[in-house]
Amino acid sequence: MKTIKIGIIGAGRIGRVHAENIAKFVPEMEIKTIADPYMSEETVEFLRRLRIPNIVKDADVILNDPEIKAVVVCSPTDLHAEYAIKVAEAGKDVFVEKPVDYRIDRVKEVIAAAKKAGVKLQVGFNRRFDHNHRAVYEAIRAGKVGKVNLVKISSRDPEPPTIDYVKVSGGIFYDMMVHDFDMARFLAGSEVTEVFAYGAVLVDPAIGEAGDVDTAVVSLKFANGAMGVIDNSRKAVYGYDQRVEVFGSEGAVMDENDTPNNATYYGADGTSSSPCYKIMWDRYTMAFAAEQRAFAEAVINGTETQVTGEDGLAPILIAAAATKSMKEGRPVKISEIEG
Amino acid sequence: MKTIKIGIIGAGRIGRVHAENIAKFVPEMEIKTIADPYMSEETVEFLRRLRIPNIVKDADVILNDPEIKAVVVCSPTDLHAEYAIKVAEAGKDVFVEKPVDYRIDRVKEVIAAAKKAGVKLQVGFNRRFDHNHRAVYEAIRAGKVGKVNLVKISSRDPEPPTIDYVKVSGGIFYDMMVHDFDMARFLAGSEVTEVFAYGAVLVDPAIGEAGDVDTAVVSLKFANGAMGVIDNSRKAVYGYDQRVEVFGSEGAVMDENDTPNNATYYGADGTSSSPCYKIMWDRYTMAFAAEQRAFAEAVINGTETQVTGEDGLAPILIAAAATKSMKEGRPVKISEIEG
Amino acid sequence: MKTIKIGIIGAGRIGRVHAENIAKFVPEMEIKTIADPYMSEETVEFLRRLRIPNIVKDADVILNDPEIKAVVVCSPTDLHAEYAIKVAEAGKDVFVEKPVDYRIDRVKEVIAAAKKAGVKLQVGFNRRFDHNHRAVYEAIRAGKVGKVNLVKISSRDPEPPTIDYVKVSGGIFYDMMVHDFDMARFLAGSEVTEVFAYGAVLVDPAIGEAGDVDTAVVSLKFANGAMGVIDNSRKAVYGYDQRVEVFGSEGAVMDENDTPNNATYYGADGTSSSPCYKIMWDRYTMAFAAEQRAFAEAVINGTETQVTGEDGLAPILIAAAATKSMKEGRPVKISEIEG
Amino acid sequence: MKTIKIGIIGAGRIGRVHAENIAKFVPEMEIKTIADPYMSEETVEFLRRLRIPNIVKDADVILNDPEIKAVVVCSPTDLHAEYAIKVAEAGKDVFVEKPVDYRIDRVKEVIAAAKKAGVKLQVGFNRRFDHNHRAVYEAIRAGKVGKVNLVKISSRDPEPPTIDYVKVSGGIFYDMMVHDFDMARFLAGSEVTEVFAYGAVLVDPAIGEAGDVDTAVVSLKFANGAMGVIDNSRKAVYGYDQRVEVFGSEGAVMDENDTPNNATYYGADGTSSSPCYKIMWDRYTMAFAAEQRAFAEAVINGTETQVTGEDGLAPILIAAAATKSMKEGRPVKISEIEG
């Protein structure tokens, strides 16, 4: 087995998740260094237990280390593009967390930097690697649904984020539905060309006061003629709810939420079973691991990544169009946004 | 048990279905007379076996019979309103098949006639009486989902209608999605105020040439703030597919298609089970019976019908708005249509 | 459509069920006469509503009516054999409710009488006609499970019968598991050759005091080498629970209980859905109708019935062996019983 | 977090599985040494990648290391007892793979040695830690099924073991159903007092020639009055099939097999989904990890293990009784075996 040494920039929640998954599940990648200027003692202890040899404050240690061939960028969102570009310029393959950036130009700069440096670029749309969504995708690609006519995605969080986060997140289309825009393109196998968005404040008035909506229904048109629809809610009391359905000329394929167990109780009042997972990290544990394995494969085998820079850009364009559509009360073409 | 004598106007497909269901499952109603000017020998034989005493050509036999207290109107669509008004004017309670009429004014005239005559008016939106959709409805009304935030409806037919039918049907929103508009209002417990419609020809180009679409995604806004989305396709190879889902502040409730049996086969290549029903009459057998039982109850107990004239009008208004929205590429308010 | 005139002997619960199902769902059979010496006014009213022309006290009216070609025997159990023999001797086809009789010799006399008279004989094992169990059966016969290795049947009632009934029923193996013995043979496609029975009083001590058990597990050996296991309980709080599973060299096939609806509720505490049917007549409504349609087919087309006299005898032999096995604490061969 | 250093004796398949799981999922345990006299280069490489510092041939290195507080015994079965006793005598807590030994006396010696030394003893019945079976267990313990009346277990392997293995395994009751005997006791919360076993050769005649059966149905009686039934087959073409069902006075609880994904395909010929796992290690991945976490907890917190030495003994007694029952064609009491 060929292995490579990697670095991780950022040891916040997602950085620690990637570090743990790589240590446990990606034997092809050896984490040599992780860098974050603000690590608690508990974080350092956690990283030590993963046997990461270098736990440092300065990302330059990674950028300047010729032994490190690939870097996973888990910095705060506003530094994603900056670090991704630096990593590319250092001639190292880049995994960058989503969103690459909310600014379209900035995303394009990252893509350009990776192209110029001839390095791999993978964007962290982890849901593409979920075992259930992936099985839907593979059924489509295997021709089981024939020509795709409709893509339906439900995506609901167990709890809204903090109002502080809502204020800076760019809105529900950028920070939440962006995942579903990616999933829609992934499943349809075609680009979104136009969107129409309805949004409403149904969960918490404070979200409205912060300038966002908490519930949204977005219709999509794809270049191949198919249509799509996505619904989002910031709060599903029964847990993290993410299901996809693709309907085509030869059938339909859909998935369900996993649950912590499948025991079913038959009682006098009815039949009951476990609720969905209530925590995102539990829902997508293995998807996070699988995306890092995929990154390792692309890096080691020199193949294209499964989520390219362009895949990082497209959902941002759709989010911009959806935001505009909701504000202006009309369908918006992606070409209006691309300029 | 109190019973009443009824008449049926029209012995086409739906007329025979209602006749059979009433004979078998609605002991409160005794079919005294059925009238249709064009009955095959087979139809007469079928009706005789149901032991209907009077099988006649002229609807006036029913309209003029003082013993008949209620009439089920199953005439061709373009005569629905005319007969409904005549029945009302004859002082008899009216059950009229959907759509009452495609012309809004005409529907209003039917409503007015029933009001003036002081008779019951029920419109044939049979799906409200389906055991699964009804269970979803009852869960909502029992408060299990809390405040309704989203209503989602999938509705797909096993086969497109003939092109001849497509040419005169008024389009997918009037002849197919009209059922879902009714279901959306029924489940949301609120009026639709605005719609946005995307449509496409993905099943059969001939449908497009006939001026219609065969696949449609419609977003809805309700007066109570909730949102909805409906998808329709003229062709699902796996059968008649109709599922609803309602999401709210306290949970979600959804149903599945019934299947002819629930046996599951576990083989080396995977697990398999029966497809959905492929024929509408099999899918909704008991719903048709239940709507007639409900009509009998309203008539005998003097209570309001479960699908009023206004319930017959609203989906036509929404269909008109959806048609306009698709044509003009913009959301359309119901108030624009009502004028 | 060829039709025949039939008679029904007995207008108790099961007699009324058959009368109603034949009237509604078996157009090939016209009930000319129903006979029962003890009918309440309500029963007579019920039968009148089914438009049965002759409602009489004396079964001889049926036996002596040359126009009546087939008779459904729904008398008290201890008169099943007597009436079945009389019907056969009158040259009419016989449908006799299960059990034909608890006495093996008596069952054999019924079989002999039907053979001698050259009339059809069908025994009322209605579960063979249930849509789910039938789908399992058809999957097996279509070779989907390959060679049958195991047959598993769960069968649990919502409530125990009255203690008075327990005292005269012959015990759980005769009055309850007898259905499952039939189902086991039906699914295995082979005769039971040996049984081992465990029984216990776990539901109600009064059942034990009446000399019976209320819970039983019976292992079976089939002539073709397959094995089987049946479990019975007199009380399942969640409703009428009957599931079958057949496992073979090429796969397994199993079914589930139907439920009144399939709506699923997702709430904060978990996912819940409707309980099973709690009333046997709801669970097997269509199975009762289907067995009468099958009887009509056999009678009209002159084909063998789907549940022959021998099919009526075999479960009684197995019940006798199971009773002996439980008492003597050892496996018992059917050949020991047959003598 | 308190941590301890442990050793592993044996680096065969199960030894490597435990090593990997402990390294990944049990941060409380640090594997200091693994010992096996016959390790391939690939095995050594695998263990190195887990960062186990000492990879040795001689188990004495572990037994004599005062820093090692607990040992996981994964030796060949016939050395389980010997090593378990040595570990106990060295004053270290013992985890020993199942079966402890096929000889009842030998199992008792292990129990006695652990008691005498005052060390923890856990036996490797990993299925108790499966998330689905555990959820069933917890529902029972929470009182949801009330008094347990019936325990049903299906357990079928995807492929029979080699004939060489069959010849030395002690038979299906010892090497396969022993897991289900443990599960039956675990779920029933009561000891098995008597068994009756039917067995047959239905999968492969060579298994019969080797003196074993490949299909078995065993009925159980429990001390608390409940009954049970277990079925085993050496070959289920659809994968590793293990389901449990517990029925009681207040309801029933059952589980299903997990599948690699839950995507469902709706096609013209029916609905299909993924088969079960076909490899035991995939089926029970997390159960193996969970049993080691449980061992770590018992060792670190000084609490009783969740699978005690007595829990290791009981299934061997039941297996002996089942073997005797099948041979002698009669039910056998466990007390007959215990002597």
Side-chain angles (χ1 to χ4, degrees):
Chain A
M1 190 176 56
K2 220 185 135 191
T3 63
I4 52 159
K5 288 194 163 58
I6 70 154
I8 299 176
I9 295 175
R13 182 70 210 242
I14 186 67
R16 290 198 304 275
V17 165
H18 284 314
E20 184 172 6
N21 281 326
I22 292 168
K24 283 182 180 171
F25 300 113
V26 193
E28 301 88 348
M29 299 207 298
E30 187 187 326
I31 308 167
K32 182 176 177 188
T33 308
I34 186 164
D36 194 312
Y38 313 103
M39 277 183 279
S40 68
E41 228 169 280
E42 193 203 340
T43 295
V44 172
E45 170 60 23
F46 173 86
L47 297 171
R48 254 189 239 298
R49 234 179 293 126
L50 298 176
R51 310 205 190 182
I52 299 174
N54 305 307
I55 302 169
V56 304
K57 293 192 176 236
D58 187 353
D60 285 348
V61 177
I62 291 170
L63 295 170
N64 297 331
D65 183 340
E67 223 187 16
I68 287 176
K69 299 300 182 201
V71 178
V72 176
V73 177
C74 306
S75 65
T77 299
D78 57 350
L79 296 176
H80 280 174
E82 181 180 327
Y83 278 122
I85 291 167
K86 281 186 181 171
V87 170
E89 287 173 352
K92 301 176 197 305
D93 293 324
V94 192
F95 177 100
V96 60
E97 257 311 310
K98 54 113 323 221
V100 180
D101 202 291
Y102 293 130
R103 292 156 298 177
I104 291 159
D105 287 350
R106 204 66 181 126
V107 183
K108 288 181 175 171
E109 287 167 27
V110 172
I111 294 172
K115 286 236 164 93
K116 191 175 165 203
V119 299
K120 307 285 168 207
L121 172 59
Q122 182 172 326
V123 180
F125 282 118
N126 62 297
R127 293 184 197 171
R128 290 191 179 204
F129 299 92
D130 173 69
H131 58 153
N132 297 321
H133 300 332
R134 176 64 61 147
V136 170
Y137 169 82
E138 285 172 359
I140 300 164
R141 292 297 94 84
K144 294 194 76 168
V145 307
K147 181 167 67 71
V148 171
N149 290 347
L150 272 176
V151 174
K152 295 181 68 179
I153 300 174
S154 275
S155 184
R156 302 165 193 163
D157 280 354
E159 286 292 342
T162 61
I163 295 302
D164 281 351
Y165 178 79
V166 168
K167 284 177 182 162
V168 301
S169 79
I172 195 168
F173 300 120
Y174 281 97
D175 86 76
M176 184 170 170
M177 204 181 277
V178 73
H179 272 292
D180 307 303
F181 294 141
D182 179 62
M183 183 58 61
R185 294 175 63 242
F186 178 60
L187 295 177
S190 178
E191 291 301 328
V192 171
T193 55
E194 188 182 299
V195 303
F196 177 80
Y198 270 148
V201 180
L202 303 174
V203 171
D204 184 355
I207 293 173
E209 287 154 22
D212 199 3
V213 297
D214 52 35
T215 310
V217 172
V218 173
S219 305
L220 310 169
K221 277 192 170 178
F222 294 95
N224 64 4
M227 286 180 291
V229 64
I230 299 167
D231 72 85
N232 270 193
S233 170
R234 290 286 196 187
K235 179 164 185 171
V237 295
Y238 53 90
Y240 207 62
D241 180 10
Q242 285 172 7
R243 288 164 288 138
V244 306
E245 173 176 344
V246 177
F247 169 77
S249 59
E250 303 301 326
V253 60
M254 56 194 85
D255 64 13
E256 289 294 327
N257 292 296
D258 280 332
T259 50
N261 67 73
N262 65 26
T264 305
Y265 170 68
Y266 294 79
D269 298 332
T271 299
S272 58
S273 52
S274 168
C276 304
Y277 286 104
K278 301 218 167 165
I279 295 173
M280 192 261 279
W281 310 102
D282 293 340
R283 173 68 168 85
Y284 282 120
T285 305
M286 296 315 293
F288 282 112
E291 75 171 346
Q292 292 300 340
R293 278 204 306 272
F295 181 53
E297 273 174 35
V299 166
I300 289 172
N301 302 332
T303 52
E304 180 55 285
T305 62
Q306 291 189 35
V307 194
T308 66
E310 286 74 13
D311 290 330
L313 175 60
I316 300 295
L317 295 171
I318 305 171
T323 305
K324 195 177 181 73
S325 171
M326 186 174 66
K327 274 192 194 142
E328 302 183 4
R330 63 175 182 92
V332 171
K333 290 195 164 31
I334 303 304
S335 56
E336 285 187 55
I337 303 296
E338 275 180 311
Chain B
M1 191 175 57
K2 218 186 137 190
T3 64
I4 53 158
K5 289 194 162 58
I6 70 155
I8 298 177
I9 295 175
R13 181 70 210 241
I14 185 68
R16 290 198 303 274
V17 164
H18 285 314
E20 184 172 6
N21 281 326
I22 292 168
K24 283 181 180 173
F25 301 112
V26 192
E28 300 88 348
M29 300 206 298
E30 188 187 326
I31 307 168
K32 182 176 178 189
T33 308
I34 187 164
D36 194 312
Y38 312 104
M39 278 183 279
S40 68
E41 228 168 279
E42 193 203 341
T43 295
V44 172
E45 170 61 24
F46 173 87
L47 297 170
R48 254 189 236 300
R49 232 179 296 124
L50 298 176
R51 310 205 189 183
I52 298 174
N54 305 308
I55 301 169
V56 304
K57 294 194 175 234
D58 187 354
D60 284 348
V61 177
I62 290 170
L63 295 169
N64 297 331
D65 184 340
E67 221 186 16
I68 287 175
K69 299 299 181 202
V71 178
V72 175
V73 177
C74 307
S75 65
T77 299
D78 57 350
L79 296 176
H80 280 173
E82 181 178 330
Y83 278 123
I85 290 167
K86 282 187 179 169
V87 171
E89 287 174 352
K92 301 176 197 303
D93 294 322
V94 193
F95 177 100
V96 59
E97 257 311 310
K98 56 113 320 222
V100 180
D101 201 292
Y102 292 129
R103 293 157 298 177
I104 291 160
D105 286 351
R106 203 66 180 125
V107 183
K108 289 182 176 171
E109 287 167 26
V110 172
I111 296 171
K115 287 237 164 90
K116 192 176 164 203
V119 299
K120 306 285 169 207
L121 173 58
Q122 182 171 328
V123 180
F125 283 117
N126 61 297
R127 294 185 195 169
R128 291 191 178 203
F129 300 91
D130 173 68
H131 57 153
N132 297 322
H133 301 331
R134 176 63 61 147
V136 170
Y137 169 82
E138 285 173 0
I140 300 163
R141 291 298 95 83
K144 294 195 77 168
V145 308
K147 183 168 65 73
V148 171
N149 289 348
L150 272 175
V151 174
K152 294 181 69 177
I153 300 174
S154 275
S155 185
R156 302 166 192 160
D157 279 355
E159 287 291 343
T162 62
I163 295 300
D164 281 351
Y165 178 79
V166 169
K167 284 176 182 162
V168 302
S169 79
I172 195 169
F173 300 121
Y174 280 96
D175 86 77
M176 184 171 170
M177 204 180 277
V178 72
H179 272 292
D180 307 303
F181 294 141
D182 179 62
M183 184 58 61
R185 296 175 63 242
F186 179 60
L187 295 177
S190 180
E191 292 300 328
V192 171
T193 56
E194 188 182 301
V195 302
F196 177 81
Y198 270 148
V201 180
L202 301 174
V203 171
D204 183 354
I207 293 173
E209 287 155 21
D212 200 2
V213 297
D214 52 36
T215 311
V217 172
V218 173
S219 304
L220 310 168
K221 278 192 170 179
F222 294 96
N224 64 4
M227 286 180 292
V229 64
I230 299 168
D231 72 85
N232 269 193
S233 170
R234 289 286 196 186
K235 180 164 183 171
V237 296
Y238 53 90
Y240 207 62
D241 180 10
Q242 284 172 6
R243 289 164 288 139
V244 305
E245 173 177 346
V246 177
F247 169 77
S249 59
E250 303 301 326
V253 61
M254 56 194 85
D255 64 14
E256 289 292 328
N257 292 296
D258 279 332
T259 50
N261 67 73
N262 65 26
T264 305
Y265 170 69
Y266 294 79
D269 297 332
T271 299
S272 58
S273 53
S274 168
C276 304
Y277 286 102
K278 300 219 167 163
I279 294 173
M280 191 263 278
W281 310 103
D282 292 341
R283 172 70 166 84
Y284 283 120
T285 305
M286 297 313 294
F288 282 110
E291 76 172 344
Q292 292 300 341
R293 279 204 306 272
F295 181 53
E297 273 173 35
V299 167
I300 289 172
N301 303 332
T303 52
E304 181 55 286
T305 62
Q306 292 190 35
V307 194
T308 65
E310 285 75 13
D311 290 329
L313 175 60
I316 301 296
L317 295 171
I318 305 171
T323 306
K324 195 177 182 71
S325 170
M326 187 174 68
K327 275 193 192 140
E328 302 183 5
R330 63 173 183 91
V332 171
K333 288 195 166 30
I334 304 304
S335 56
E336 286 188 53
I337 303 297
E338 276 181 310
Chain C
M1 190 176 57
K2 219 185 136 191
T3 64
I4 53 159
K5 288 194 162 58
I6 69 155
I8 298 176
I9 295 175
R13 182 70 210 240
I14 185 68
R16 290 198 302 274
V17 165
H18 284 314
E20 184 171 6
N21 281 325
I22 291 168
K24 283 182 179 171
F25 300 112
V26 193
E28 302 89 346
M29 298 207 299
E30 188 187 326
I31 307 167
K32 181 175 179 190
T33 308
I34 186 164
D36 194 311
Y38 313 104
M39 279 183 279
S40 68
E41 227 168 281
E42 193 203 340
T43 295
V44 172
E45 170 60 23
F46 173 86
L47 297 170
R48 255 190 237 299
R49 234 179 293 125
L50 298 176
R51 311 204 190 183
I52 299 174
N54 305 307
I55 302 169
V56 304
K57 294 194 176 233
D58 188 353
D60 285 348
V61 177
I62 290 170
L63 295 169
N64 297 331
D65 183 341
E67 221 186 18
I68 288 175
K69 299 299 182 202
V71 178
V72 176
V73 177
C74 308
S75 64
T77 299
D78 56 350
L79 297 176
H80 280 173
E82 181 179 328
Y83 278 122
I85 290 168
K86 281 187 181 169
V87 170
E89 287 173 351
K92 301 175 196 307
D93 294 323
V94 192
F95 178 99
V96 60
E97 257 310 310
K98 56 115 317 224
V100 180
D101 201 293
Y102 292 130
R103 292 157 298 176
I104 292 160
D105 286 350
R106 204 67 181 124
V107 183
K108 289 181 177 172
E109 287 167 25
V110 172
I111 295 171
K115 287 236 164 91
K116 192 176 164 202
V119 299
K120 306 285 169 208
L121 173 59
Q122 181 171 328
V123 180
F125 281 117
N126 62 295
R127 293 185 196 170
R128 290 190 179 205
F129 300 92
D130 173 68
H131 57 153
N132 297 322
H133 301 331
R134 175 64 60 147
V136 170
Y137 169 82
E138 285 172 359
I140 299 164
R141 291 297 96 83
K144 293 194 77 169
V145 307
K147 182 168 67 70
V148 171
N149 290 348
L150 272 176
V151 174
K152 294 181 69 178
I153 300 173
S154 275
S155 184
R156 301 165 193 161
D157 280 354
E159 286 291 343
T162 62
I163 295 301
D164 281 350
Y165 178 78
V166 169
K167 283 177 182 162
V168 302
S169 79
I172 195 169
F173 300 120
Y174 280 96
D175 86 77
M176 184 172 170
M177 204 181 276
V178 72
H179 271 292
D180 306 303
F181 294 141
D182 179 62
M183 184 57 62
R185 296 174 62 242
F186 179 60
L187 295 177
S190 179
E191 291 301 328
V192 171
T193 56
E194 188 182 301
V195 303
F196 177 81
Y198 270 148
V201 180
L202 302 174
V203 171
D204 183 354
I207 293 173
E209 286 154 22
D212 199 3
V213 297
D214 52 36
T215 311
V217 172
V218 173
S219 304
L220 309 170
K221 278 191 170 180
F222 294 95
N224 64 4
M227 285 181 291
V229 64
I230 299 167
D231 72 85
N232 270 193
S233 170
R234 289 288 196 186
K235 180 165 183 170
V237 295
Y238 53 90
Y240 209 61
D241 179 10
Q242 285 173 4
R243 289 164 288 138
V244 305
E245 173 177 347
V246 176
F247 169 76
S249 59
E250 303 301 326
V253 60
M254 57 194 84
D255 64 14
E256 289 293 328
N257 292 296
D258 280 331
T259 50
N261 67 73
N262 66 26
T264 305
Y265 171 68
Y266 294 78
D269 298 332
T271 299
S272 58
S273 52
S274 168
C276 304
Y277 285 104
K278 301 217 166 163
I279 294 172
M280 191 263 279
W281 310 102
D282 293 339
R283 172 70 166 84
Y284 282 119
T285 305
M286 296 314 293
F288 281 111
E291 75 172 346
Q292 292 300 341
R293 279 204 305 272
F295 181 53
E297 273 172 36
V299 166
I300 289 172
N301 302 332
T303 52
E304 180 56 286
T305 62
Q306 290 189 36
V307 194
T308 66
E310 286 74 13
D311 290 330
L313 176 60
I316 301 295
L317 295 171
I318 305 171
T323 306
K324 195 177 181 72
S325 171
M326 187 174 67
K327 274 192 193 141
E328 301 183 5
R330 63 174 183 92
V332 171
K333 288 194 166 32
I334 303 305
S335 56
E336 286 187 54
I337 303 297
E338 276 181 309
Chain D
M1 190 175 59
K2 220 186 135 190
T3 63
I4 53 158
K5 288 193 163 60
I6 69 154
I8 298 176
I9 295 175
R13 182 70 210 242
I14 185 67
R16 290 199 303 275
V17 164
H18 284 314
E20 184 172 6
N21 281 325
I22 292 168
K24 284 182 179 171
F25 301 113
V26 193
E28 301 89 348
M29 300 207 297
E30 186 188 327
I31 308 168
K32 182 177 177 189
T33 309
I34 187 164
D36 194 312
Y38 312 104
M39 278 182 279
S40 68
E41 229 168 279
E42 193 203 341
T43 295
V44 172
E45 170 61 23
F46 173 86
L47 297 170
R48 254 190 238 299
R49 232 178 296 124
L50 298 176
R51 312 207 189 180
I52 299 174
N54 305 307
I55 301 168
V56 304
K57 293 192 176 237
D58 187 353
D60 284 349
V61 177
I62 291 169
L63 295 169
N64 296 331
D65 183 340
E67 222 187 15
I68 288 175
K69 299 300 182 201
V71 178
V72 176
V73 177
C74 307
S75 64
T77 299
D78 57 350
L79 297 175
H80 279 174
E82 182 178 328
Y83 278 123
I85 290 168
K86 281 187 180 171
V87 170
E89 287 174 352
K92 301 176 197 306
D93 294 322
V94 193
F95 177 99
V96 59
E97 257 311 310
K98 56 115 317 224
V100 180
D101 201 292
Y102 292 130
R103 292 157 299 178
I104 291 159
D105 285 351
R106 204 66 180 125
V107 183
K108 289 181 176 173
E109 286 167 27
V110 172
I111 295 171
K115 287 238 164 91
K116 193 175 163 204
V119 298
K120 306 286 169 206
L121 173 59
Q122 182 171 327
V123 180
F125 283 117
N126 62 296
R127 294 185 196 169
R128 289 190 180 204
F129 299 93
D130 173 69
H131 57 153
N132 297 323
H133 301 330
R134 176 64 61 147
V136 171
Y137 169 82
E138 285 173 0
I140 300 163
R141 289 300 93 84
K144 294 194 77 169
V145 307
K147 182 169 66 72
V148 171
N149 289 349
L150 272 175
V151 174
K152 295 182 68 178
I153 300 174
S154 275
S155 185
R156 302 165 192 162
D157 280 356
E159 287 292 341
T162 63
I163 295 300
D164 281 352
Y165 178 78
V166 169
K167 283 177 182 161
V168 302
S169 79
I172 195 168
F173 300 121
Y174 280 97
D175 86 76
M176 184 171 171
M177 204 181 276
V178 72
H179 271 293
D180 307 302
F181 294 142
D182 179 62
M183 184 58 62
R185 296 174 62 242
F186 178 60
L187 295 177
S190 179
E191 292 300 328
V192 172
T193 56
E194 188 182 301
V195 303
F196 176 80
Y198 270 148
V201 180
L202 302 174
V203 171
D204 183 354
I207 294 173
E209 286 155 22
D212 200 2
V213 297
D214 52 35
T215 311
V217 172
V218 173
S219 304
L220 310 168
K221 277 192 170 178
F222 293 95
N224 65 4
M227 286 181 290
V229 64
I230 299 168
D231 72 86
N232 269 193
S233 170
R234 289 286 196 187
K235 180 164 184 170
V237 296
Y238 53 90
Y240 208 61
D241 179 9
Q242 284 173 5
R243 289 164 288 139
V244 305
E245 173 176 345
V246 177
F247 169 76
S249 58
E250 302 302 326
V253 60
M254 56 194 85
D255 64 14
E256 289 293 328
N257 293 295
D258 279 332
T259 49
N261 66 74
N262 65 26
T264 304
Y265 170 68
Y266 293 79
D269 297 331
T271 299
S272 58
S273 53
S274 167
C276 304
Y277 286 104
K278 301 220 166 162
I279 294 173
M280 191 262 279
W281 309 103
D282 293 340
R283 173 68 167 85
Y284 282 121
T285 305
M286 297 313 294
F288 281 111
E291 76 172 345
Q292 292 299 341
R293 279 204 306 271
F295 180 53
E297 273 173 34
V299 166
I300 289 173
N301 302 332
T303 52
E304 181 54 285
T305 62
Q306 291 189 36
V307 195
T308 66
E310 286 75 12
D311 290 330
L313 176 59
I316 301 295
L317 295 171
I318 306 171
T323 306
K324 196 179 182 70
S325 171
M326 186 174 67
K327 274 192 193 140
E328 302 184 4
R330 65 174 183 91
V332 171
K333 289 195 165 34
I334 303 305
S335 56
E336 285 188 54
I337 303 297
E338 274 180 311

